[in-house]
Coordinates of all heavy atoms in Angstrom, one line a residue:
M1 N 54.5 65.3 -15.4 CA 53.3 64.5 -15.1 C 53.0 63.6 -16.3 O 52.8 64.1 -17.4 CB 52.2 65.4 -14.7 CG 50.8 64.7 -14.8 SD 49.7 64.7 -13.4 CE 50.6 65.3 -12.0
P2 N 52.9 62.3 -16.1 CA 52.6 61.4 -17.2 C 51.2 61.7 -17.7 O 50.3 62.1 -17.0 CB 52.7 60.0 -16.6 CG 52.5 60.2 -15.2 CD 53.0 61.5 -14.8
C3 N 51.0 61.5 -19.0 CA 49.7 61.7 -19.6 C 49.1 60.4 -20.1 O 48.3 60.4 -21.1 CB 49.8 62.7 -20.8 SG 50.9 62.2 -22.1
F4 N 49.5 59.4 -19.5 CA 49.0 58.0 -19.8 C 48.7 57.3 -18.6 O 49.2 57.6 -17.5 CB 50.0 57.3 -20.7 CG 51.4 57.3 -20.1 CD1 51.7 56.3 -19.1 CD2 52.3 58.2 -20.5 CE1 53.0 56.3 -18.5 CE2 53.6 58.2 -19.9 CZ 53.9 57.3 -18.9
S5 N 47.8 56.2 -18.7 CA 47.4 55.4 -17.6 C 47.5 54.0 -18.0 O 47.3 53.6 -19.1 CB 46.0 55.7 -17.2 OG 45.8 57.1 -16.8
G6 N 47.7 53.2 -17.0 CA 47.6 51.7 -17.1 C 46.2 51.3 -16.9 O 45.3 52.1 -16.6
M7 N 46.0 50.0 -17.0 CA 44.7 49.4 -16.6 C 44.4 49.7 -15.2 O 45.3 49.7 -14.3 CB 44.7 47.9 -16.9 CG 43.4 47.2 -16.6 SD 43.6 45.4 -16.8 CE 43.8 45.3 -18.6
S8 N 43.2 49.9 -14.8 CA 42.8 50.2 -13.4 C 43.1 49.0 -12.5 O 43.2 47.8 -13.0 CB 41.3 50.5 -13.3 OG 40.6 49.3 -13.5
Q9 N 43.4 49.3 -11.3 CA 43.6 48.2 -10.3 C 42.4 47.3 -10.2 O 42.6 46.1 -10.1 CB 43.9 48.9 -8.9 CG 44.6 47.9 -7.9 CD 46.0 47.7 -8.3 OE1 46.8 48.6 -8.3 NE2 46.3 46.5 -8.7
E10 N 41.3 47.8 -10.3 CA 40.0 47.0 -10.2 C 39.9 46.0 -11.4 O 39.7 44.8 -11.1 CB 38.8 47.9 -10.2 CG 37.5 47.2 -10.1 CD 36.3 48.2 -10.1 OE1 36.5 49.3 -10.5 OE2 35.2 47.7 -9.8
D11 N 40.2 46.5 -12.6 CA 40.1 45.6 -13.7 C 41.2 44.5 -13.7 O 41.0 43.4 -14.0 CB 40.2 46.3 -15.0 CG 38.9 47.1 -15.3 OD1 37.9 46.9 -14.6 OD2 39.0 47.9 -16.3
T12 N 42.4 45.0 -13.3 CA 43.6 44.1 -13.2 C 43.3 43.0 -12.1 O 43.5 41.8 -12.4 CB 44.8 44.8 -12.8 OG1 45.1 45.9 -13.7 CG2 46.0 43.9 -12.7
D13 N 42.8 43.4 -11.0 CA 42.5 42.4 -10.0 C 41.4 41.4 -10.4 O 41.5 40.2 -10.1 CB 42.0 43.1 -8.7 CG 43.2 43.8 -8.0 OD1 44.3 43.5 -8.3 OD2 42.9 44.7 -7.1
A14 N 40.5 41.9 -11.2 CA 39.4 41.0 -11.7 C 40.0 39.9 -12.6 O 39.7 38.7 -12.5 CB 38.3 41.8 -12.4
F15 N 41.0 40.3 -13.5 CA 41.6 39.3 -14.4 C 42.5 38.4 -13.5 O 42.5 37.2 -13.8 CB 42.5 40.0 -15.4 CG 41.7 40.6 -16.5 CD1 41.8 42.0 -16.8 CD2 40.8 39.9 -17.2 CE1 41.1 42.6 -17.9 CE2 40.0 40.5 -18.3 CZ 40.2 41.8 -18.6
R16 N 43.1 38.9 -12.5 CA 44.0 38.0 -11.7 C 43.1 36.9 -11.0 O 43.6 35.8 -10.6 CB 44.7 38.8 -10.6 CG 45.9 39.5 -11.2 CD 46.7 40.2 -10.1 NE 47.8 40.9 -10.7 CZ 48.1 42.2 -10.5 NH1 47.3 42.9 -9.6 NH2 49.1 42.8 -11.0
Q17 N 41.9 37.3 -10.7 CA 41.0 36.3 -10.1 C 40.2 35.5 -11.0 O 39.2 34.8 -10.7 CB 40.0 37.1 -9.2 CG 40.7 37.8 -8.0 CD 39.9 38.9 -7.3 OE1 38.7 39.0 -7.5 NE2 40.5 39.7 -6.5
G18 N 40.6 35.5 -12.3 CA 40.1 34.6 -13.3 C 39.0 35.2 -14.1 O 38.3 34.4 -14.9
G19 N 38.7 36.5 -14.0 CA 37.7 37.1 -14.9 C 38.0 36.9 -16.3 O 39.2 36.8 -16.7
V20 N 37.0 36.8 -17.1 CA 37.2 36.5 -18.6 C 37.6 37.7 -19.4 O 37.2 38.8 -19.1 CB 35.9 35.8 -19.1 CG1 35.6 34.5 -18.4 CG2 34.7 36.7 -19.1
D21 N 38.3 37.4 -20.5 CA 38.8 38.5 -21.3 C 37.8 38.8 -22.4 O 36.6 38.3 -22.4 CB 40.2 38.1 -21.9 CG 40.2 36.9 -22.8 OD1 39.1 36.4 -23.2 OD2 41.3 36.4 -23.2
A22 N 38.2 39.5 -23.4 CA 37.3 40.0 -24.5 C 36.8 38.8 -25.3 O 35.7 39.0 -26.0 CB 38.1 40.9 -25.4
Y23 N 37.4 37.7 -25.3 CA 36.9 36.5 -26.0 C 36.3 35.4 -25.1 O 36.1 34.3 -25.5 CB 38.1 35.9 -26.8 CG 38.6 36.8 -27.9 CD1 39.9 36.8 -28.3 CD2 37.7 37.7 -28.6 CE1 40.4 37.6 -29.3 CE2 38.2 38.5 -29.6 CZ 39.5 38.5 -29.9 OH 40.0 39.3 -30.9
G24 N 36.1 35.8 -23.8 CA 35.4 34.9 -22.9 C 36.3 33.9 -22.3 O 35.8 32.9 -21.7
N25 N 37.6 34.1 -22.3 CA 38.5 33.1 -21.7 C 39.2 33.7 -20.5 O 39.4 34.9 -20.4 CB 39.6 32.7 -22.7 CG 39.1 32.1 -24.0 OD1 38.3 31.2 -23.9 ND2 39.5 32.6 -25.1
S26 N 39.5 32.9 -19.5 CA 40.2 33.3 -18.4 C 41.7 33.5 -18.8 O 42.2 32.8 -19.7 CB 40.2 32.3 -17.2 OG 38.9 32.2 -16.7
P27 N 42.4 34.5 -18.2 CA 43.8 34.8 -18.6 C 44.6 33.5 -18.5 O 44.5 32.8 -17.6 CB 44.2 35.9 -17.7 CG 43.0 36.5 -17.3 CD 41.9 35.4 -17.2
E28 N 45.6 33.4 -19.4 CA 46.5 32.3 -19.4 C 47.7 32.7 -18.5 O 48.2 33.8 -18.6 CB 47.0 32.0 -20.8 CG 48.0 30.8 -20.8 CD 48.4 30.4 -22.3 OE1 47.7 30.9 -23.2 OE2 49.3 29.7 -22.4
R29 N 48.1 31.8 -17.6 CA 49.3 32.1 -16.7 C 50.5 31.4 -17.3 O 50.5 30.2 -17.7 CB 49.0 31.5 -15.3 CG 47.8 32.2 -14.7 CD 47.5 31.5 -13.4 NE 48.4 31.9 -12.4 CZ 48.4 33.0 -11.7 NH1 47.5 33.9 -11.8 NH2 49.4 33.3 -10.8
M30 N 51.5 32.2 -17.5 CA 52.8 31.6 -18.1 C 54.0 32.3 -17.4 O 53.8 33.4 -16.8 CB 52.8 31.7 -19.6 CG 52.6 33.2 -20.1 SD 52.7 33.3 -21.9 CE 52.3 31.8 -22.5
K31 N 55.2 31.8 -17.6 CA 56.4 32.4 -17.1 C 56.8 33.5 -17.9 O 56.9 33.4 -19.2 CB 57.5 31.3 -16.9 CG 58.7 31.8 -16.2 CD 59.7 30.7 -16.1 CE 59.3 29.6 -15.1 NZ 60.4 28.6 -14.9
S32 N 57.2 34.6 -17.3 CA 57.6 35.8 -18.1 C 59.1 35.6 -18.6 O 59.9 35.0 -17.9 CB 57.6 37.0 -17.2 OG 58.2 38.1 -17.8
D33 N 59.3 36.1 -19.8 CA 60.7 36.1 -20.3 C 61.4 37.4 -20.1 O 62.5 37.6 -20.5 CB 60.7 35.7 -21.8 CG 59.9 36.7 -22.6 OD1 59.5 37.8 -22.1 OD2 59.8 36.5 -23.9
G34 N 60.7 38.3 -19.4 CA 61.3 39.6 -19.0 C 61.3 40.7 -20.1 O 61.9 41.7 -20.0
T35 N 60.6 40.4 -21.2 CA 60.6 41.3 -22.3 C 59.2 42.0 -22.5 O 59.1 42.9 -23.4 CB 60.9 40.6 -23.7 OG1 59.9 39.6 -24.0 CG2 62.3 39.9 -23.6
T36 N 58.2 41.7 -21.7 CA 56.9 42.3 -22.0 C 56.5 43.1 -20.8 O 56.7 42.8 -19.6 CB 55.8 41.2 -22.2 OG1 55.9 40.2 -21.1 CG2 56.1 40.4 -23.5
P37 N 55.9 44.3 -21.1 CA 55.4 45.2 -20.0 C 54.0 44.8 -19.5 O 53.2 44.2 -20.2 CB 55.3 46.6 -20.7 CG 55.0 46.2 -22.1 CD 55.7 44.9 -22.4
C38 N 53.8 45.1 -18.3 CA 52.5 44.9 -17.6 C 51.6 46.1 -18.0 O 52.1 47.3 -17.9 CB 52.7 44.8 -16.1 SG 51.2 44.9 -15.2
R39 N 50.4 45.8 -18.4 CA 49.5 46.9 -18.8 C 49.0 47.7 -17.6 O 48.4 48.7 -17.7 CB 48.3 46.3 -19.5 CG 47.4 47.3 -20.1 CD 48.0 48.2 -21.1 NE 48.2 47.7 -22.4 CZ 47.4 47.7 -23.5 NH1 46.2 48.2 -23.3 NH2 47.7 47.3 -24.6
C40 N 49.2 47.2 -16.4 CA 48.8 47.9 -15.1 C 49.9 48.8 -14.6 O 49.7 50.0 -14.5 CB 48.4 46.8 -14.1 SG 47.8 47.5 -12.5
C41 N 51.0 48.2 -14.3 CA 52.1 49.1 -13.7 C 53.0 49.7 -14.7 O 53.8 50.5 -14.4 CB 52.9 48.2 -12.6 SG 53.8 46.9 -13.4
L42 N 52.9 49.2 -16.0 CA 53.7 49.7 -17.1 C 55.2 49.4 -17.0 O 56.0 50.0 -17.7 CB 53.4 51.2 -17.3 CG 51.9 51.6 -17.4 CD1 51.8 53.1 -17.7 CD2 51.2 50.8 -18.5
K43 N 55.5 48.4 -16.1 CA 56.9 48.0 -16.0 C 57.1 46.7 -16.7 O 56.1 45.9 -16.8 CB 57.3 47.9 -14.5 CG 57.2 49.3 -13.8 CD 57.5 49.1 -12.3 CE 57.4 50.4 -11.6 NZ 57.4 50.2 -10.1
L44 N 58.4 46.4 -17.1 CA 58.6 45.0 -17.6 C 58.3 44.0 -16.5 O 58.7 44.2 -15.3 CB 60.1 44.9 -18.1 CG 60.4 45.7 -19.3 CD1 61.9 45.5 -19.6 CD2 59.6 45.2 -20.5
I45 N 57.7 42.9 -16.9 CA 57.4 41.8 -16.0 C 58.7 41.0 -15.8 O 59.2 40.5 -16.8 CB 56.2 41.0 -16.5 CG1 55.0 41.8 -16.7 CG2 55.9 39.8 -15.5 CD1 53.9 41.2 -17.5
E46 N 59.1 40.9 -14.6 CA 60.4 40.3 -14.2 C 60.5 38.9 -14.8 O 59.5 38.1 -14.7 CB 60.6 40.2 -12.7 CG 61.9 39.7 -12.3 CD 62.1 39.7 -10.8 OE1 61.3 40.4 -10.1 OE2 63.0 39.1 -10.3
A47 N 61.6 38.6 -15.5 CA 61.8 37.2 -16.0 C 61.7 36.2 -14.9 O 62.2 36.3 -13.8 CB 63.2 37.2 -16.7
G48 N 61.0 35.1 -15.3 CA 60.8 34.0 -14.3 C 59.6 34.1 -13.5 O 59.2 33.1 -12.9
S49 N 59.0 35.3 -13.4 CA 57.8 35.5 -12.6 C 56.6 35.1 -13.5 O 56.7 35.0 -14.7 CB 57.7 36.9 -12.1 OG 57.5 37.8 -13.1
V50 N 55.4 35.0 -12.8 CA 54.2 34.6 -13.5 C 53.7 35.9 -14.2 O 53.6 37.0 -13.6 CB 53.2 34.0 -12.6 CG1 51.9 33.8 -13.3 CG2 53.7 32.7 -12.0
R51 N 53.2 35.7 -15.5 CA 52.5 36.8 -16.1 C 51.2 36.2 -16.7 O 51.1 35.0 -17.0 CB 53.3 37.4 -17.3 CG 53.5 36.5 -18.4 CD 54.3 37.1 -19.6 NE 54.6 36.1 -20.6 CZ 55.3 36.4 -21.7 NH1 55.9 37.5 -21.9 NH2 55.5 35.4 -22.6
L52 N 50.2 37.1 -16.8 CA 49.0 36.7 -17.4 C 48.9 37.2 -18.8 O 49.4 38.4 -19.1 CB 47.8 37.4 -16.6 CG 47.7 37.1 -15.1 CD1 46.5 37.8 -14.5 CD2 47.7 35.6 -14.8
V53 N 48.3 36.5 -19.7 CA 48.2 36.8 -21.1 C 46.7 36.8 -21.4 O 46.0 35.7 -21.1 CB 49.0 35.9 -22.0 CG1 48.8 36.4 -23.5 CG2 50.4 35.8 -21.6
L54 N 46.1 37.8 -22.0 CA 44.7 37.8 -22.2 C 44.4 38.8 -23.4 O 45.2 39.6 -23.8 CB 43.9 38.3 -21.0 CG 44.3 39.7 -20.5 CD1 43.1 40.5 -20.3 CD2 45.1 39.6 -19.2
A55 N 43.2 38.6 -24.0 CA 42.7 39.4 -25.1 C 42.0 40.6 -24.4 O 41.1 40.4 -23.6 CB 41.8 38.6 -26.0
Y56 N 42.4 41.8 -24.8 CA 41.8 43.0 -24.2 C 41.3 44.0 -25.2 O 41.9 44.3 -26.2 CB 42.9 43.7 -23.3 CG 42.4 44.8 -22.5 CD1 41.5 44.6 -21.5 CD2 43.0 46.1 -22.7 CE1 41.0 45.7 -20.7 CE2 42.5 47.2 -21.9 CZ 41.6 46.9 -20.9 OH 41.1 48.0 -20.2
L57 N 40.1 44.4 -25.0 CA 39.4 45.4 -25.8 C 39.4 46.7 -24.9 O 38.5 46.8 -24.0 CB 38.0 45.0 -26.2 CG 37.2 45.9 -27.1 CD1 37.9 46.2 -28.4 CD2 35.8 45.4 -27.3
P58 N 40.3 47.7 -25.2 CA 40.5 48.8 -24.2 C 39.3 49.7 -24.1 O 39.2 50.4 -23.1 CB 41.7 49.5 -24.7 CG 41.8 49.1 -26.1 CD 41.3 47.7 -26.3
F59 N 38.5 49.8 -25.1 CA 37.4 50.8 -25.1 C 36.1 50.3 -24.6 O 35.1 51.1 -24.5 CB 37.3 51.5 -26.5 CG 38.5 52.2 -26.9 CD1 39.3 51.6 -27.9 CD2 38.9 53.4 -26.3 CE1 40.5 52.2 -28.3 CE2 40.1 54.0 -26.7 CZ 40.9 53.4 -27.7
G60 N 36.0 49.0 -24.4 CA 34.7 48.5 -23.8 C 33.6 48.3 -24.8 O 32.6 47.7 -24.5
E61 N 33.8 48.8 -26.0 CA 32.8 48.6 -27.1 C 33.5 48.7 -28.4 O 34.6 49.2 -28.6 CB 31.7 49.6 -27.0 CG 32.2 51.0 -27.2 CD 31.1 52.1 -27.0 OE1 30.3 51.9 -26.0 OE2 31.1 53.1 -27.7
L62 N 32.8 48.1 -29.4 CA 33.4 48.2 -30.8 C 33.2 49.6 -31.4 O 32.1 50.1 -31.3 CB 32.7 47.1 -31.7 CG 33.0 45.7 -31.2 CD1 32.3 44.7 -32.2 CD2 34.5 45.4 -31.3
Q63 N 34.3 50.1 -31.9 CA 34.2 51.4 -32.6 C 35.5 51.4 -33.5 O 36.3 50.5 -33.5 CB 34.1 52.5 -31.6 CG 35.1 52.4 -30.4 CD 36.3 53.3 -30.6 OE1 36.8 53.5 -31.7 NE2 36.9 53.6 -29.4
R64 N 35.6 52.5 -34.3 CA 36.6 52.6 -35.3 C 38.0 52.3 -34.8 O 38.8 51.6 -35.5 CB 36.6 54.0 -35.9 CG 37.5 54.1 -37.1 CD 37.7 55.6 -37.4 NE 38.4 56.2 -36.3 CZ 38.4 57.5 -36.1 NH1 37.7 58.3 -36.8 NH2 39.1 58.0 -35.1
D65 N 38.4 52.8 -33.7 CA 39.8 52.6 -33.2 C 40.0 51.5 -32.2 O 41.1 51.3 -31.7 CB 40.2 53.9 -32.5 CG 40.2 55.1 -33.5 OD1 40.6 54.9 -34.6 OD2 39.8 56.2 -33.1
A66 N 39.0 50.7 -32.0 CA 39.1 49.6 -31.1 C 39.7 48.4 -31.7 O 39.2 47.9 -32.7 CB 37.7 49.2 -30.5
E67 N 40.8 47.9 -31.2 CA 41.4 46.7 -31.6 C 41.6 45.8 -30.4 O 42.0 46.3 -29.3 CB 42.8 46.9 -32.3 CG 42.7 47.7 -33.6 CD 44.0 47.8 -34.2 OE1 44.9 47.0 -33.9 OE2 44.2 48.7 -35.1
T68 N 41.3 44.5 -30.5 CA 41.5 43.6 -29.4 C 42.9 43.0 -29.6 O 43.2 42.5 -30.7 CB 40.4 42.5 -29.5 OG1 39.1 43.1 -29.4 CG2 40.6 41.5 -28.3
G69 N 43.7 43.1 -28.6 CA 45.0 42.6 -28.7 C 45.4 41.8 -27.5 O 44.8 41.9 -26.4
P70 N 46.5 41.0 -27.7 CA 47.0 40.3 -26.5 C 47.7 41.3 -25.6 O 48.5 42.2 -26.1 CB 48.0 39.3 -27.1 CG 48.4 39.9 -28.4 CD 47.2 40.7 -28.9
I71 N 47.5 41.3 -24.3 CA 48.2 42.1 -23.4 C 48.7 41.2 -22.2 O 48.3 40.1 -22.1 CB 47.3 43.2 -22.8 CG1 46.2 42.7 -21.9 CG2 46.8 44.2 -23.9 CD1 45.6 43.7 -21.0
F72 N 49.6 41.8 -21.4 CA 50.2 41.1 -20.3 C 50.0 41.8 -19.0 O 50.0 43.1 -19.0 CB 51.7 40.9 -20.6 CG 52.0 40.3 -21.9 CD1 52.2 41.1 -23.1 CD2 52.1 38.9 -22.1 CE1 52.5 40.5 -24.3 CE2 52.3 38.3 -23.3 CZ 52.6 39.1 -24.4
L73 N 49.9 41.1 -18.0 CA 49.8 41.7 -16.6 C 50.7 40.9 -15.7 O 50.9 39.7 -15.9 CB 48.3 41.5 -16.1 CG 47.3 42.3 -16.8 CD1 45.9 41.9 -16.4 CD2 47.4 43.8 -16.6
C74 N 51.2 41.6 -14.7 CA 51.9 40.9 -13.6 C 51.0 39.8 -13.0 O 49.8 40.2 -12.7 CB 52.4 41.8 -12.5 SG 53.6 43.1 -13.1
G75 N 51.5 38.6 -12.8 CA 50.7 37.6 -12.1 C 50.5 37.9 -10.6 O 49.5 37.5 -10.0
N76 N 51.4 38.7 -10.0 CA 51.3 39.1 -8.6 C 50.9 40.5 -8.5 O 50.9 41.3 -9.5 CB 52.6 38.8 -7.9 CG 53.0 37.3 -8.0 OD1 52.2 36.5 -7.7 ND2 54.3 37.1 -8.3
D77 N 50.6 40.9 -7.3 CA 50.2 42.3 -7.1 C 51.2 43.3 -7.7 O 52.4 43.1 -7.5 CB 50.0 42.6 -5.6 CG 48.8 41.9 -5.1 OD1 47.9 41.4 -5.9 OD2 48.7 41.8 -3.8
C78 N 50.7 44.4 -8.3 CA 51.5 45.5 -8.7 C 50.7 46.8 -8.6 O 49.5 46.7 -8.3 CB 52.1 45.3 -10.1 SG 50.8 45.3 -11.4
E79 N 51.3 47.9 -8.7 CA 50.6 49.2 -8.5 C 50.2 49.8 -9.8 O 51.1 50.0 -10.7 CB 51.4 50.1 -7.7 CG 50.7 51.4 -7.2 CD 51.5 52.2 -6.3 OE1 52.4 51.6 -5.6 OE2 51.2 53.4 -6.2
A80 N 49.0 50.1 -10.0 CA 48.5 50.7 -11.3 C 49.0 52.1 -11.4 O 49.2 52.8 -10.5 CB 47.0 50.7 -11.3
V81 N 49.4 52.4 -12.7 CA 49.8 53.8 -13.0 C 48.6 54.5 -13.6 O 48.0 54.1 -14.6 CB 50.9 53.8 -14.1 CG1 51.2 55.2 -14.5 CG2 52.1 53.1 -13.5
V82 N 48.1 55.5 -12.8 CA 46.9 56.2 -13.2 C 47.2 57.7 -13.2 O 47.6 58.3 -12.1 CB 45.7 55.9 -12.3 CG1 44.5 56.7 -12.7 CG2 45.4 54.4 -12.3
S83 N 47.1 58.4 -14.3 CA 47.4 59.8 -14.4 C 46.1 60.5 -13.9 O 45.0 60.0 -14.0 CB 47.8 60.3 -15.8 OG 46.7 60.0 -16.7
S84 N 46.3 61.7 -13.4 CA 45.2 62.5 -12.9 C 44.6 63.4 -13.9 O 45.2 63.7 -14.9 CB 45.5 63.3 -11.6 OG 46.7 64.1 -11.9
Ligands
ZN101 ZN1 52.4 45.0 -13.2

């Protein structure tokens, strides 16, 4: 059983619909080169398909371990990996 989770389906869908990232920008849409994983399904985003790039603050608030970083999401629907 995996002990890790991807971004929730709800948050991923919000970004796909143009929701703003940690810096107040809508995700950038670009062509995938096949080398970056999706933060939702945790699989490599297929080369040639659309990927979203955005600044993400995973903890929702500033604290010692919070770093805002660029992340990638599949531009099209994918299934979130959520451990129980
Ligand atoms: Zn994905």
Side-chain angles (χ1 to χ4, degrees):
M1 164 127 345
C3 60
F4 49 83
S5 298
M7 181 186 292
S8 73
Q9 197 71 65
E10 180 181 14
D11 287 352
T12 302
D13 289 344
F15 285 126
R16 285 187 181 125
Q17 295 164 13
V20 297
D21 67 9
Y23 295 146
N25 299 311
S26 292
E28 184 175 345
R29 300 177 69 83
M30 56 180 21
K31 188 179 288 188
S32 174
D33 62 3
T35 63
T36 53
C38 169
R39 186 61 79 88
C40 178
C41 67
L42 307 181
K43 298 176 183 172
L44 289 176
I45 303 169
E46 185 176 347
S49 65
V50 174
R51 69 179 176 183
L52 305 182
V53 184
L54 59 129
Y56 186 61
L57 180 61
F59 299 105
E61 62 185 40
L62 294 177
Q63 44 100 333
R64 185 194 68 204
D65 298 321
E67 292 185 19
T68 304
I71 66 161
F72 304 93
L73 294 169
C74 295
N76 299 315
D77 289 344
C78 64
E79 188 171 340
V81 173
V82 180
S83 63
S84 54

